[in-house]
Amino acid sequence: MRRRTVTPGAGLEETLDTLAAATATRQEAPAAASPARAPRRERDALQTEFAFELPRGYVDDEGQVHRNGTMRLATARDELKPQIDLRVKENPAYLSVVLLAQVITQLGPVTDVHTGIVERMYATDVAFLQDFYRRINSEGHTHAAVTCPLCQGSFEVDLSGGRLGES
């Protein structure tokens, strides 16, 4: 494995782009020579986006409340990029704001989710999104096993949203 260094003039983004291009070029040649593979079955497809419903909701400049959104799986780049952000270096707690802004793909009709939007969310919603992020990226699903405190019955709930009592 070759060692790569980042010079003061080059950023992480350019280095990652160069590495991705080199890897893609190496993988294209063998893939072209291999015989055609059978198409993936539906159950083998990887789910990369997950819908969620915020507990309180994001209030935009016009006063509209947006509760439904989607979050995609994080890539290694998503987790590396905040490490060079000056706001994160000054305040490590800001890491989750930058990270969530990168992986939230939609919030109501808003498709350009940036750090300013995440900053203006209620703490309850940010905590929900942090847990949601952890759950989909480490466990691969939005379900949690719970136990009823009254009857001790075990069942599974979907944490991605839905109101209590709704199915």
Side-chain angles (χ1 to χ4, degrees):
M1 181 170 151
R2 283 182 27 202
R3 172 175 271 172
R4 306 234 191 247
T5 57
V6 179
T7 61
L12 177 63
E13 190 72 30
E14 292 84 13
T15 304
L16 291 172
D17 287 339
T18 304
L19 288 172
T23 302
T25 304
R26 276 186 249 129
Q27 290 176 348
E28 284 175 9
S34 66
R37 294 183 182 175
R40 278 190 178 180
R41 285 181 259 167
E42 189 67 30
R43 65 177 178 83
D44 292 340
L46 175 66
Q47 182 179 357
T48 59
E49 284 205 351
F50 297 83
F52 62 82
E53 184 177 338
L54 296 174
R56 299 219 185 270
Y58 164 69
V59 182
D60 66 14
D61 294 333
E62 288 80 38
Q64 296 290 328
V65 179
H66 306 292
R67 297 184 67 180
N68 296 315
T70 56
M71 181 184 292
R72 66 174 172 77
L73 289 176
T75 63
R77 177 179 286 187
D78 292 326
E79 295 206 353
L80 290 171
K81 200 171 178 184
Q83 300 298 327
I84 61 170
D85 192 305
L86 293 177
R87 299 168 294 186
V88 174
K89 287 183 178 183
E90 291 174 10
N91 181 6
Y94 200 72
L95 176 106
S96 63
V97 172
V98 174
L99 192 54
L100 289 173
Q102 290 180 164
V103 297
I104 297 172
T105 57
Q106 186 173 358
L107 189 57
V110 180
T111 56
D112 181 26
V113 179
H114 50 80
T115 56
I117 289 176
V118 178
E119 287 173 352
R120 291 181 19 208
M121 288 182 178
Y122 294 108
T124 307
D125 291 334
V126 174
F128 168 83
L129 289 169
Q130 288 171 329
D131 183 57
F132 190 74
Y133 174 90
R134 181 192 56 77
R135 186 167 298 281
I136 67 173
N137 284 289
S138 63
E139 299 172 17
H141 57 80
T142 60
H143 296 91
V146 295
T147 304
C148 176
L150 299 174
C151 70
Q152 300 304 314
S154 297
F155 56 96
E156 191 175 83
V157 294
D158 187 356
L159 299 178
S160 64
R163 318 305 277 161
L164 290 176
E166 292 181 358
S167 51

